[in-house]
Amino acid sequence: MVVAGKLVQLLVVTWLGALTAGESQCGRLEERLLYTTDERTEPSEYPWIGVLLQSTGNGYANTKCTVVIVNQLHVLTTATCVKRFKNRTGNVSAVVMVGVWDESHSPDEEFACNSKGFCVPGPKLYNVAEIKVHPDADKDTGDNDMAILRLVEPLEWTNYIQPICMEGNAEPESLINRNLHFTGFTHTDNIKGKGLAMTVSRQKCKQLTSASTLPPENQLCGFPVKRTKFYEGTALMDISVERNVPHSFYVVALLARVMSVGASTTHIYQDLRRARPWIMENTATK
């Protein structure tokens, strides 16, 4: 019976993957998933999230950094995450793993199944052709901590590999005092995680982190519900609403670092909104 169940689940997963093959809808959203307290995502939830790896010649090392899919040829991460790569063009050792829900799954597996017979397609690997760091990235203050990775080959869209929207249809002037969704991988679990963070003022952020100075101008702080430590590059997102219904996610910031002081954990995010012209210019596809 388990084998039969696994076969049915494989057929369903295959059908779901084929359903959206070749098609994409940025920021795909299911409203029922917005109101859960789950810290783990469902397999096809937030399909724009991947992991940055480094080729070691005989395998791949996990950099513990999240990447966010912009389009078929580009992903975003932080500038801090790409410091380890000596070559930015040509022989780049950076590789992105996408379509991944459980980091323990291998790209060599066509389908990855758990002990209960639930199966999902195995993750896919894509080599990076070029790394472009924001020209105003400041190693001293940490401001403008972002980078664009151009892939050698275009991503193949599936139900588990989709892009995030880069803009909302009606964005607020300020992100402060907003309860925003975030998603990425964590240091404590193989399953892709998610959560909510209340954004706070720079003054409150300084207090929470016991810092001597305010955060950089283009960074913002979030106070997460849970203290789980997420990878750098984790996506902070807002929601576009159409006809009074949540329609799609759009990315507003990337997690630059996590600071824990006493009983509080604070997320420091790199705000992407002012950098959108640079991002769009350098991710344009012909």
Side-chain angles (χ1 to χ4, degrees), residues 43-64:
S44 62
E45 195 175 0
Y46 304 121
W48 44 86
I49 294 298
V51 179
L52 180 62
L53 307 178
Q54 183 170 20
S55 175
T56 59
N58 58 354
Y60 301 96
N62 190 339
T63 68
K64 306 296 184 182

Side-chain angles (χ1 to χ4, degrees), residues 21-32:
E23 302 175 359
S24 70
Q25 175 191 342
C26 75
R28 188 183 68 210
L29 179 154
E30 292 184 62
E31 187 175 1
R32 67 179 179 85

Side-chain angles (χ1 to χ4, degrees), residues 110-126:
E110 182 178 3
F111 291 99
C113 305
N114 65 14
S115 60
K116 297 181 179 179
F118 181 82
C119 304
V120 295
K124 304 296 182 184
L125 298 181
Y126 288 85

